[in-house]
Amino acid sequence: MNQPNILVVLADDMGWGDLGCYGSKIPTPHIDALAAGGVRATDAHSASAVCTPSRYALMTGRYAWRGPLKNFVLMGHGPALIEPSRPTLASVLRDAGYATGAFGKWHLGLGWRHRDGSVRDAFAPGATLHDDVKTDFGHDIDYTAPVTGGPTALGFDRFFGIAGSLDMPPYAFIDQDRTVGVPDREKAEYLTEQRPGLQVPGFREDEADVRFVGEAVRWLSTVPTDQPFLCYVTPSAPHRPNVPPSVVRGASGLGDRADGVCLVDWMVGQLVAAIDARGQRDNTLVIVTSDNGAPMIFTDDGDVSVHRPNGDWRGQKGDLWDGGHREPFVAHWPGRIPAGTVLDAPICLTDVLPTAAAAAGATLPAGTAEDGRDVLGALTGDAAPPPADRPIVHHSLGGRFALRAGRWKAVFAPGSGGGFSEPSIDALFASGSGKAHSNPPWDARHPVGQLYDVHADPGETTDLWATEPDVVASLYDQLRAICRDESSGLPFDVQVPA
């Protein structure tokens, strides 16, 4: 079998409506060209409405709530969230003969060594996963020591990136398993939303994504042309703080955040050009998507009446409504994926691992990617798409659940489910039911919920919870079956209508 190269680009907070090929006013010519020459999915979903659990799901093919992280995200000093023994997208493909590289935002935790010699363990009883976002300075970290449990321990031959988002310390690049320089001083200047912490001398946020793609292109030039590669590139854009570099500054005409979307598109162009230079475009599967929906609460991000980053879907980042997790998803593979294809079937980012494995002819170990499906045939047209009633679990910032199956979507929580929309995560904190937790979790019972017929009402405007009790009960039973033996803190039981 001629194994294809695989390029996965996972943007940060890029919404369904941010790309030109999804109707945006933001110019994204490189991604639009991939969509025109391949497939554009309209019903693709991240496995969470926020970044850490979404990235966990893409990397492992399983929902993050099956592991220690039940809600929220990790900070930059969060512990490694994936066990070294768990198969990942990288380890499965490396075992199949691939060179593997990751470049950009990691945000799945790292084993930082503290000055007392300890390393936090996400799987220890009573482990603390959620750092205090106001006091996680990192002063007790020994930055001269290598990190453990990161990309190079999980199947990647090469890693260059950052620990979390650009609004989280440490403000430093990581090369393989060590910081580039030592974060030994308080950050000199704080940009929008940045948290207090330490930096290395001269760290510049506007150079990060340019550096990531440069390192990825440089690594590609070292991979033998007769060896297939997995290149996993995770821009920090368009996540806040939005500091577009000169190469795209002003390109959108819609502000810094929209310029960040242009930056993602520029990065895709650089990567595709590098693949073209190798003469390998025809044998490369390219996937471009995002980890969750765009936030819409920050007025300096742009006027949402002019540009709606999540399209017409209700909600935003963090929410159980579709704006929180319905994602752009473009796949391109000349000769295999027919040009101009639109895939309307439901897919999830948990599907990336089994789909990539199928393309590579790799065997998934037993019990791997239990929440993902091989959708390669759906992308190429060689097989039927996933059934329209395929159940997909949605998970909010606040750890609440929704289930979509066919035309029905049940939200087992009030409002946004503790996302960025009202009632937001702040309201959950105020009620005492939104406290960040690891083990044991909070005791949450939801006597109310929402039900939408998303075929007739894609904007999720008419709540049918009280009038369709049999549908609610059926979806709840499906959700419990999917969650099956996950007894470590899922917010059950829900009281469904009688």
Side-chain angles (χ1 to χ4, degrees):
M1 177 183 177
N2 187 20
Q3 295 173 301
N5 304 308
I6 298 174
L7 168 64
V8 177
V9 179
L10 182 71
D12 195 2
D13 286 9
M14 188 170 73
W16 190 95
D18 272 330
L19 300 178
C21 53
Y22 284 82
S24 172
K25 298 177 181 178
I26 300 174
T28 52
H30 299 292
I31 301 174
D32 294 352
L34 294 176
V39 60
R40 177 177 64 90
T42 64
D43 200 5
H45 298 264
S46 58
S48 172
V50 284
C51 44
T52 299
S54 175
R55 291 160 191 267
Y56 177 98
L58 184 149
M59 193 58 54
T60 65
R62 72 198 300 257
Y63 295 121
W65 43 261
R66 295 197 188 281
L69 189 69
K70 309 302 182 186
N71 60 2
F72 296 91
V73 300
L74 299 179
M75 293 292 111
H77 295 113
L81 197 60
I82 302 176
E83 315 96 309
S85 60
R86 181 169 299 284
T88 66
L89 175 65
S91 67
V92 167
L93 292 186
R94 187 171 69 178
D95 288 348
Y98 278 65
T100 55
F103 306 90
K105 170 180 171 174
W106 179 239
H107 211 182
L108 285 168
L110 296 166
W112 297 101
R113 191 173 75 187
H114 293 248
R115 295 190 183 279
D116 63 3
S118 64
V119 176
R120 290 165 61 185
D121 181 0
F123 300 89
T128 299
L129 302 184
H130 302 291
D131 299 299
D132 186 329
V133 298
K134 296 181 180 180
T135 60
D136 178 28
F137 299 103
H139 289 102
D140 62 339
I141 301 294
D142 178 5
Y143 289 111
T144 66
V147 296
T148 57
T152 58
L154 296 170
F156 286 105
D157 303 319
R158 178 79 180 105
F159 172 66
F160 185 92
I162 53 177
S165 303
L166 281 178
D167 59 350
M168 299 175 180
Y171 298 101
F173 293 122
I174 299 173
D175 190 335
Q176 296 295 89
D177 59 358
R178 292 178 181 271
T179 58
V180 179
V182 177
D184 61 358
R185 63 201 64 195
E186 302 294 332
K187 196 169 191 309
E189 178 185 2
Y190 286 101
L191 305 177
T192 305
E193 305 295 321
Q194 285 188 318
R195 297 165 174 87
L198 302 177
Q199 70 166 63
V200 297
F203 183 79
R204 289 179 56 94
E205 289 81 1
D206 62 348
E207 296 176 348
D209 284 326
V210 174
R211 183 72 183 274
F212 299 154
V213 77
E215 293 288 342
V217 168
R218 187 174 299 110
W219 174 75
L220 286 172
S221 71
T222 69
V223 177
T225 54
D226 60 351
Q227 182 181 18
F229 64 77
L230 164 68
C231 187
Y232 175 63
V233 179
T234 51
S236 65
H239 191 291
R240 293 163 69 84
N242 291 298
V243 282
S246 59
V247 68
V248 297
R249 191 175 303 126
S252 70
L254 294 169
D256 287 349
R257 183 191 177 278
D259 288 352
V261 176
C262 294
L263 178 56
V264 174
D265 185 72
W266 176 82
M267 294 172 72
V268 170
Q270 295 291 301
L271 294 163
V272 170
I275 293 168
D276 282 342
R278 293 169 60 89
Q280 294 184 323
R281 174 84 79 95
D282 288 348
N283 194 39
T284 301
L285 169 61
V286 179
I287 295 173
V288 180
T289 186
S290 178
D291 61 351
N292 48 251
M296 296 175 62
I297 58 174
F298 303 113
T299 56
D300 57 320
D301 275 354
D303 186 344
V304 295
S305 68
V306 175
H307 169 66
R308 295 187 60 78
N310 298 312
D312 291 331
W313 309 110
R314 183 181 184 183
Q316 59 184 314
K317 176 180 178 177
D319 295 355
L320 288 176
W321 296 314
D322 267 26
H325 48 78
R326 190 182 287 242
E327 305 305 323
F329 187 98
V330 170
H332 183 270
W333 188 1
R336 290 297 309 276
I337 296 177
T341 302
V342 176
L343 178 64
D344 294 324
I347 61 175
C348 183
L349 294 192
T350 53
D351 300 337
V352 171
L353 171 52
T355 300
T363 300
L364 287 174
T368 296
E370 60 263 48
D371 298 309
R373 295 191 180 190
D374 168 15
V375 297
L376 182 63
L379 301 178
T380 63
D382 295 333
D389 61 351
R390 172 193 179 179
I392 294 178
V393 177
H394 308 308
H395 197 223
S396 73
L397 170 66
R400 271 47 172 178
F401 286 82
L403 184 75
R404 159 81 181 281
R407 67 185 302 164
W408 297 108
K409 176 180 176 182
V411 178
F412 297 101
S416 68
F420 280 22
S421 297
E422 297 296 337
S424 68
I425 195 65
D426 293 333
L428 288 180
F429 270 116
S431 71
S433 64
K435 184 179 179 181
H437 68 272
S438 300
N439 289 309
W442 81 85
D443 177 18
R445 297 178 66 88
H446 304 308
V448 297
Q450 304 156 69
L451 178 70
Y452 300 103
D453 179 345
V454 294
H455 288 181
D457 177 29
E460 300 177 80
T461 62
T462 303
D463 181 5
L464 304 174
W465 178 275
T467 60
E468 298 286 349
D470 291 343
V471 174
V472 172
S474 174
L475 292 173
Y476 180 56
D477 287 344
Q478 289 185 63
L479 178 60
R480 285 188 64 90
I482 291 169
C483 296
R484 51 188 184 273
D485 297 326
E486 310 299 335
S487 59
S488 58
L490 301 184
F492 295 127
D493 287 321
V494 174
Q495 298 173 15
V496 300

